[in-house]
Amino acid sequence: MNELITQTTGLPTQFEPERVKVNDEKAKAVIDYAKRVQDWPLLEGAVDQKIEDQQEFVRWWDVKRRWKYGR
């Protein structure tokens, strides 16, 4: 039954909204550091990771909102 619910809601099974804040702060710290020491590959990787995290959050929020409000 849980498997069916996961499939119909489309929510990522391992997504933890609380983790988003922690990961965002880590990404900010790495981005600031990479800019300060001018480590452009590190900066690019940190920005890419932050974008992926934000996209994952938006997908989760979109599905949760549709499921909750029927949109």
Side-chain angles (χ1 to χ4, degrees):
M1 183 70 170
N2 288 339
E3 190 176 322
L4 180 60
I5 292 171
T6 301
Q7 289 175 354
T8 57
T9 62
L11 291 172
T13 56
Q14 297 299 315
F15 186 77
E16 301 169 28
E18 306 81 31
R19 192 186 76 217
V20 172
K21 291 179 185 178
V22 173
N23 287 345
D24 189 52
E25 289 302 316
K26 287 179 184 178
K28 285 180 189 177
V30 172
I31 289 168
D32 289 343
Y33 171 77
K35 287 191 296 188
R36 194 169 46 252
V37 298
Q38 297 183 350
D39 185 341
W40 308 130
L42 179 62
L43 177 63
E44 183 179 4
V47 169
D48 287 346
Q49 183 61 52
K50 187 169 179 161
I51 291 169
E52 284 180 32
D53 292 345
Q54 289 173 343
Q55 288 172 335
E56 180 183 4
F57 174 76
V58 169
R59 281 191 301 272
W60 173 82
W61 181 256
D62 232 13
V63 170
K64 181 179 178 182
R65 182 177 45 100
R66 271 190 246 129
W67 178 74
K68 186 174 183 179
Y69 298 108
R71 294 181 185 163

